Amino acid sequence: CSASVINVTSIHQTVPYPHNSGYAMTKAALGMLTQTLSIELAPLGIRVNNFAPGAVETDMNREIIERMRKDFAEWIPAGRVAHTDEMIGPAVFLASDESGYVNGATLVADGGYSHNLVRYRP
């Protein structure tokens, strides 16, 4: 059994989000910190990984989710915003011995959202 550190980043550690540069920048920095610490702490038996949720409805963002629910349903291939309880399994996996050889990785739980954010003009 090894120790596990899980940093919560976001899909916006790699996907730009207009008018939210501070948020995206800090998530990207945390992503790089995770990768660096994963190398430094591995010899001590400590794994360090990122957990990057996509759009998840919480008390903090419920108002904007309600206003844009139809847009999110279109943007997210899964067709909806996630519920908070859907984030439990991925986090438990990263904390468990089942992910004992996972180190320095980012586990994305976003219903395919980050793959669908890149838009090309026809």
Side-chain angles (χ1 to χ4, degrees), residues 26-88:
T26 58
K27 294 302 184 178
L30 184 55
M32 184 51 68
L33 177 66
T34 298
Q35 291 177 36
T36 303
L37 290 177
S38 72
I39 295 166
E40 293 175 356
L41 299 178
L44 302 173
I46 301 170
R47 298 178 296 110
V48 185
N49 291 292
N50 286 328
F51 178 44
V56 179
E57 187 169 347
T58 66
D59 291 339
M60 186 173 75
N61 68 7
R62 187 161 287 116
E63 186 178 317
I64 193 163
I65 296 290
E66 285 299 325
R67 281 195 320 255
M68 300 179 64
R69 193 170 298 279
K70 288 182 182 179
D71 293 322
F72 281 112
E74 180 184 324
W75 298 333
I76 301 169
R80 63 180 178 79
V81 172
H83 303 282
T84 54
D85 60 348
E86 293 177 289
M87 300 299 109
I88 297 168

